[in-house]
Amino acid sequence: MAIGFARLEFVQRSAGKTACGKSAYNAREKVHFEGTNFAEPKTYNWSYKENPVYHEVLLPNHVDKKFKSLEILWNTVEQKENRHNSQVAMEMVLALPDDKVISLEDKIELVKTFVEQHFVKN
């Protein structure tokens, strides 16, 4: 019987990572990092890779919808953090069993509900 898997990992400047780079990779998109006092501007392009099964930015209702854009969201986060060793984001990887009884749409809804309840609303 297959089991699910979850992993939480911080995106740390001290490890040379950026939220823009991580988001570009996860979404398989092109994201321009505007740079900070600690890192030079750079364009991350993972659009040539196979698309993920599903990707979406979930926001609380009171947040400006412009933050649905990965580039705007993560460059804003990078600008707000002002330490060279900041943890600018957290990545959660969820792997659900490949169960034929549960449809892909149901799996997406399950994960969205979990993320909204445990992260977005807080």
Side-chain angles (χ1 to χ4, degrees):
M1 175 182 189
I3 59 170
F5 167 82
R7 181 187 75 224
L8 234 51
E9 181 179 310
F10 287 100
V11 178
Q12 301 173 317
R13 282 189 180 153
S14 61
K17 306 292 183 188
T18 68
C20 290
K22 185 61 83 171
S23 68
Y25 177 78
N26 288 336
R28 303 300 193 266
E29 291 184 11
K30 184 176 183 177
V31 175
H32 178 70
F33 171 52
E34 296 170 358
T36 64
N37 293 339
F38 315 105
E40 296 293 318
K42 181 178 181 177
T43 298
Y44 297 94
N45 186 2
W46 293 97
S47 61
Y48 61 91
K49 293 279 194 178
E50 184 179 343
N51 287 337
V53 173
Y54 184 79
H55 185 273
E56 180 182 5
V57 175
L58 301 174
L59 300 171
N61 291 332
H62 65 278
V63 174
D64 191 331
K65 299 304 177 214
K66 74 179 181 181
F67 291 111
K68 284 275 192 184
S69 162
L70 296 177
E71 202 162 291
I72 293 171
L73 173 64
W74 294 115
N75 274 297
T76 301
V77 168
E78 291 281 358
Q79 296 303 318
K80 293 289 183 190
E81 289 294 337
N82 56 11
R83 294 183 359 240
H84 68 86
N85 61 348
S86 293
Q87 295 176 340
V88 293
M90 186 186 322
E91 175 187 37
M92 175 182 266
V93 175
L94 296 173
L96 301 177
D98 190 16
D99 187 345
K100 304 297 182 214
V101 176
I102 303 171
S103 70
L104 176 60
E105 292 77 20
D106 289 339
K107 291 176 187 177
I108 291 169
E109 193 58 37
L110 178 70
V111 171
K112 283 176 65 173
T113 301
F114 175 81
V115 170
E116 286 173 353
Q117 287 179 359
H118 295 282
F119 296 97
V120 176
K121 83 173 192 181
N122 295 326

